[in-house]
Amino acid sequence: MRSRLLGAVRALVGDPALDGALDSVRLGAVVLMAKADARRDFRTSIWAEELGRWLGVSRSSVAHTVLPRLREAQVLDSEVVTNEQGHPTGLDCLIVPMHRAQQARDRRHPLALSRQELAVLLRLCEVLFGPGWTPRGKEPVPAGMLAGRTGRGASTDRLGLLLMVLSTGKRGWLQLCPGTVNTGRGRPAATVARLLGCTPEAGGKVLSRLREHGVVEVVRRETASRLNHASRVRLVPVAEAHGHGPVPVPPKGLGERARSVLSDLAGSALGDLGPDQPAPPPGRTGHSLDAGGCTAGTADLAGSAQHHAGHASVVDEVNETAAGLGCSGEGRRGTGDRPERAGAREDEPAAGREVPRLTLVAGAGSPLRGEQPGHSAVDEQGRPPADSGASGSPRGGGLGAGQLGPGRVPRPPRDLKEVLAPVELLWARLDRPGARSTVAAAVRAELEVVAGQTGPAYARGVLARRLARRLTDQGGPGKVRDAVGWLIRRGLPRRPDCTDVRCDEGLRLDSGGLCETCAYRVADRRALRRRIEADVDAGMPGAPLAERRVAVEERLRAAVAREAEQARVRHARAAAERAARQAAIAQVRAEAEAAERARRAVPCAGCGAPDAAGLCTACATWRTTEEEIRAAALTAAAAQADVDDLGDVARVVAQAESALRREVEEASARVRADGATRDEAASLARLIAETAVFTRRRSAVALLARSEVATAEADLAFAARMRSAHRYRTRADAERAAAEAAEQARDRTARYLLAERLSVLRARWNSADAAPTHDRRRPA
């Protein structure tokens, strides 16, 4: 239960929506979660002043900072409760993440806590920093250990103490973080910093304040070499609650209630952790951890990071050990004034002496390594997770195969921290850059697939929950032999239980709920079994239960076989239909390709060139040129000739065509003489014709702009603008605006007249008689 409560607290305070939030806000979320009632959809009733007593802050801070920030992060949904007179009496709060976890119906979700687990968490919060109260008709509930700690940093101290207690074994030793740490602050401060998600400096301040309150002690002892000092952090209340060893600094006011809560929390009675099983390693809240596990005593300096497996925190100083045995990692002293050389007796031959095996200390319940064990303690009691660095290999300082040592493996990429947080211990085993690159690429690819179903905003959370679920089903990191293979082939891929692309092991990717298609399949199978059982009961009345059961199973197998045969027939029919459709598509495509080949094989109608699809490029360009020449001639006639006089129109069109065609022929002959091809000469002719159309149109507009109709429109526009001359500052400004309006009206009228004249000419002019064909007088 301790590890489950720690996972729930870390999942809640590590919500990305609470990044950068004050510790009072994060502690407020934890307190509301602990007080939530599972029978009321994880609701609780509280008021601002009472919540402030839990957090060690004022009522104003709760009302103006804590509650608004929780609502903004969608962690809390609250309603004001009023009495009969309408006066507010408190808040009815809904813990949204826990409600969503309940709706998902996934017991493996870190926030899917039971009533028993919530009760233990609430009692733990009461013991650590509860405000204390006196209920009516009952014994008073004493204040917690940090209840008197208020003001600046009070919420940080309370949240830190809660996380430290949840990361502590029954002997009270805090699981320290491995790897390289700040040499100026030490490993205990770094551990507290990673638990709270703050800097080592802030972690050291929290640790110092907790020491002043007598709930934490930092024990520093000399190593066998007398060079480096190792610090160990002990939670005094936890140690006293279990009665393990003397406690130099007694806790303040540790009563029977606190003793009972702390004893039940870390003991083995609640099922998830054995008496000597280490708690999950601490890490920065909401972020991934360093590689490896955690150990109760680790050298402070970065250079003295231990290179052997992290052991359970219950491996204490040898107060209860048998004579002649030492703790793992503790120097064995000789009889003289100098310590015995490490491994001196290991050099002796094995013959003539028996290598002692694992020795269990009576009453302690925790395995200690003998002087010369044939196997390590973890070999006898069950190997710890491979990512904690446990290995029996004599090389590499006791590290597992393929590990670089604590703190040596880079953390996951920044964009994959949230996804790989549940499998951070497996990532710590990826000592090769190629393996890390392969896993990162696979995660990004699967993340893109999941984002297509759930959206980019929820894809990381969905994939992280999938990895956590798969690792739990596997039995933990210790059951994974090949981290790369497990992540790529078992952890990351989607496992659909039905044909729905949104299904993953019976859960919907988009909503997180149960897959409806899978539910329908299960319902169909159950209905089939019930139907067969009813038929068997009707057909075999009075038969023994065993015979009816055999008959049911036989009929059920026959029904499943029939369904499989029907499915095979359907698949075969669908395959045949698909093949027929593909054949028909291939035939249509072949016919279309044949028709296209035939069309392309037609010679040019203008020059007779073969395989020209009816018209080669040069002839098509010359045809377009003739059309442009005709358009230029009609534009000139629309501006210069009388559109009602066909003779005048024919004269102007003939003159314009003759002049333009002569210009085109001269330019074509000139470039052909210089070595240009037919296509190049045709392109030049088309360019000349298009330019002529533009110049003729501009000349026609300028000519029609001086007509009587255009002049009249300009005068009307000028007069209309001058009627509003009072809107301008001076008359000169009004006249300038009127002149601009007149010019715009003149240009519009000229363009309109040109369009009308061209439409009349196209309607009345017989183009077949008035204009030449496309190849008339065309250069060869």
Side-chain angles (χ1 to χ4, degrees):
M1 180 179 293
R2 176 163 56 101
S3 61
R4 183 158 178 80
L5 292 181
L6 177 61
V9 173
R10 292 177 60 189
L12 186 62
V13 301
D15 195 315
L18 292 179
D19 283 347
L22 298 175
D23 287 332
S24 58
V25 178
R26 300 196 294 170
L27 181 61
V30 175
V31 171
L32 292 174
M33 176 181 69
K35 295 176 68 65
D37 190 352
R39 296 170 298 183
R40 298 180 55 223
D41 293 336
F42 298 101
R43 291 182 176 272
T44 184
S45 299
I46 201 170
W47 56 95
E49 184 176 0
E50 177 67 15
L51 184 56
R53 296 177 61 199
W54 280 90
L55 306 183
V57 298
S58 63
R59 176 184 178 276
S60 177
S61 298
V62 173
H64 295 89
T65 303
V66 177
L67 294 178
R69 185 66 176 85
L70 290 176
R71 296 190 189 100
E72 179 184 353
Q74 296 184 355
V75 175
L76 177 67
D77 186 9
S78 61
E79 296 179 356
V80 178
V81 180
T82 58
N83 56 14
E84 297 178 355
Q85 290 77 24
H87 298 156
T89 60
L91 293 174
D92 185 17
C93 303
L94 171 65
I95 314 303
V96 178
M98 301 189 70
H99 178 71
R100 291 176 179 172
Q102 182 192 37
Q103 295 296 323
R105 299 179 182 178
D106 185 5
R107 186 64 181 86
R108 294 167 291 188
H109 194 284
L111 293 178
L113 299 181
S114 62
R115 291 176 55 192
Q116 180 187 12
E117 293 166 339
L118 288 174
V120 172
L121 179 60
L122 179 58
R123 292 173 58 199
L124 179 61
C125 293
E126 293 174 358
V127 168
L128 297 181
F129 51 81
W133 60 90
T134 305
R136 295 180 181 178
K138 297 181 181 179
E139 295 183 359
V141 178
M145 304 172 190
L146 296 183
R149 172 74 174 95
T150 59
R152 183 181 179 87
S155 299
T156 303
D157 295 348
R158 299 180 183 207
L159 181 59
L161 180 60
L162 174 62
L163 292 171
M164 292 170 69
V165 169
L166 291 176
S167 304
T168 302
K170 61 182 294 185
R171 288 177 177 259
W173 294 111
L174 176 65
Q175 301 290 321
L176 298 184
C177 65
T180 303
V181 299
N182 189 324
T183 56
R185 295 294 174 178
R187 198 168 302 278
T191 302
V192 177
R194 295 183 186 182
L195 284 173
L196 290 172
C198 60
T199 62
E201 291 78 5
K205 294 179 181 179
V206 173
L207 194 60
S208 298
R209 293 195 295 266
L210 293 178
R211 291 177 64 183
E212 293 176 359
H213 279 77
V215 295
V216 168
E217 63 168 340
V218 179
V219 180
R220 186 180 296 273
R221 62 173 183 168
E222 292 184 352
T223 60
S225 62
R226 298 177 179 269
L227 293 178
N228 295 318
H229 295 269
S231 297
R232 309 177 72 189
V233 179
R234 192 170 194 174
L235 274 298
V236 177
V238 179
E240 189 194 33
H242 293 84
H244 289 295
V247 180
V249 184
K252 299 179 181 179
L254 184 63
E256 292 299 328
R257 177 180 176 86
R259 195 185 310 275
S260 175
V261 172
L262 296 175
S263 178
D264 290 345
L265 180 67
S268 60
L270 297 179
D272 67 320
L273 292 176
D276 304 311
Q277 186 175 350
R284 175 168 180 155
T285 306
H287 299 271
S288 60
L289 306 177
D290 287 339
C294 294
T295 178
T298 315
D300 287 347
L301 301 180
S304 61
Q306 296 182 3
H307 292 283
H308 63 271
H311 299 289
S313 61
V314 296
V315 180
D316 202 346
E317 296 181 347
V318 290
N319 297 330
E320 302 172 321
T321 58
L325 296 179
C327 237
S328 171
E330 183 174 358
R332 301 176 180 86
R333 302 182 181 274
T335 58
D337 56 350
R338 300 178 60 187
E340 183 177 356
R341 179 173 61 86
R345 282 173 287 179
E346 296 179 3
D347 298 333
E348 298 178 6
R353 65 180 180 90
E354 181 181 358
V355 178
R357 302 287 292 179
L358 174 69
T359 304
L360 295 180
V361 181
S366 58
L368 299 178
R369 193 172 64 185
E371 290 185 348
Q372 299 297 326
H375 301 277
S376 65
V378 295
D379 292 332
E380 299 292 334
Q381 197 189 3
R383 223 171 257 278
D387 28 83
S388 64
S391 175
S393 174
R395 302 183 62 181
L399 292 174
Q403 284 190 265
L404 294 177
R408 300 294 298 278
V409 175
R411 292 190 176 186
R414 183 173 301 177
D415 60 328
L416 301 180
K417 277 187 176 181
E418 180 182 353
V419 178
L420 295 176
V423 292
E424 55 197 357
L425 299 181
L426 295 183
W427 177 270
R429 294 163 56 181
L430 307 180
D431 57 339
R432 292 176 298 170
R436 293 192 295 270
S437 300
T438 302
V439 172
V443 173
R444 290 190 177 96
E446 187 63 26
L447 193 62
E448 184 176 356
V449 174
V450 175
Q453 300 295 333
T454 64
Y458 303 98
R460 288 181 173 83
V462 171
L463 194 54
R465 288 192 293 272
R466 177 191 295 178
L467 290 174
R469 186 171 62 248
R470 302 276 174 82
L471 191 59
T472 302
D473 296 342
Q474 183 73 19
K479 300 297 183 180
V480 179
R481 295 184 178 179
D482 183 7
V484 177
W486 186 90
L487 286 171
I488 295 178
R489 299 179 182 178
R490 303 195 63 178
L492 288 173
R494 182 177 69 94
R495 300 178 187 174
D497 290 346
C498 62
T499 57
D500 194 339
V501 296
R502 299 166 297 181
C503 176
D504 183 22
E505 295 180 316
L507 299 176
R508 287 280 294 269
L509 291 177
D510 51 355
S511 63
L514 297 177
C515 178
E516 297 179 357
T517 306
C518 293
Y520 292 152
R521 292 181 59 193
V522 173
D524 292 342
R525 294 172 182 173
R526 291 175 179 173
L528 177 62
R529 175 176 286 274
R530 288 195 297 267
R531 186 168 60 252
I532 292 177
E533 289 176 351
D535 295 342
V536 170
D537 292 341
M540 302 175 62
L545 178 61
E547 294 182 5
R548 294 202 305 269
R549 183 177 301 169
V550 171
V552 168
E553 295 298 331
E554 290 179 354
R555 295 192 184 186
L556 188 60
R557 282 195 295 269
V560 172
R562 282 197 306 272
E563 291 181 357
E565 180 62 23
Q566 294 173 358
R568 188 190 63 78
V569 173
R570 287 196 305 269
H571 294 165
R573 186 183 301 113
E577 294 176 354
R578 184 168 56 253
R581 288 195 301 270
Q582 292 176 353
I585 293 173
Q587 182 179 358
V588 171
R589 185 179 294 112
E591 294 176 356
E593 292 176 354
E596 180 65 17
R597 287 194 299 270
R599 186 187 68 81
R600 293 184 179 182
V602 176
C604 177
C607 62
D611 298 332
L615 196 65
C616 65
T617 303
C619 292
T621 305
W622 275 110
R623 179 171 294 181
T624 303
T625 302
E626 293 293 340
E627 293 176 356
E628 296 294 337
I629 291 174
R630 182 183 306 168
L634 288 178
T635 302
Q640 301 174 10
D642 184 5
V643 294
D644 295 330
D645 188 357
L646 294 181
D648 190 20
V649 172
R651 180 183 57 81
V652 175
V653 168
Q655 292 177 356
E657 283 189 356
S658 176
L660 186 55
R661 186 171 288 107
R662 186 167 52 254
E663 180 183 358
V664 168
E665 291 176 354
E666 290 176 356
S668 300
R670 187 165 54 253
V671 297
R672 290 297 298 274
D674 293 339
T677 62
R678 291 180 65 247
D679 293 344
E680 294 173 348
S683 299
L684 177 61
R686 179 179 177 178
L687 178 61
I688 295 173
E690 291 176 348
T691 305
V693 171
F694 175 75
T695 56
R696 296 293 195 280
R697 183 177 183 83
R698 186 174 58 184
S699 301
V701 170
L703 184 61
L704 292 175
R706 296 192 297 268
S707 64
E708 296 180 358
V709 178
T711 302
E713 288 292 332
D715 294 341
L716 291 175
F718 185 88
R721 184 60 59 90
M722 290 302 297
R723 282 195 293 271
S724 60
H726 59 280
R727 298 180 179 177
Y728 297 91
R729 298 180 58 184
T730 62
R731 185 172 180 80
D733 294 341
E735 290 178 353
R736 281 194 297 270
E740 293 178 0
E743 290 300 324
Q744 293 176 1
R746 185 188 299 276
D747 184 72
R748 261 194 325 269
T749 304
R751 294 180 183 278
Y752 174 77
L753 292 175
L754 179 60
E756 288 293 325
R757 286 171 172 263
L758 286 175
S759 64
V760 171
L761 286 179
R762 293 190 185 98
R764 296 181 179 180
W765 184 255
N766 188 353
S767 59
D769 298 334
T773 59
H774 70 277
D775 58 347
R776 181 184 298 176
R777 302 174 62 182
R778 182 184 62 196

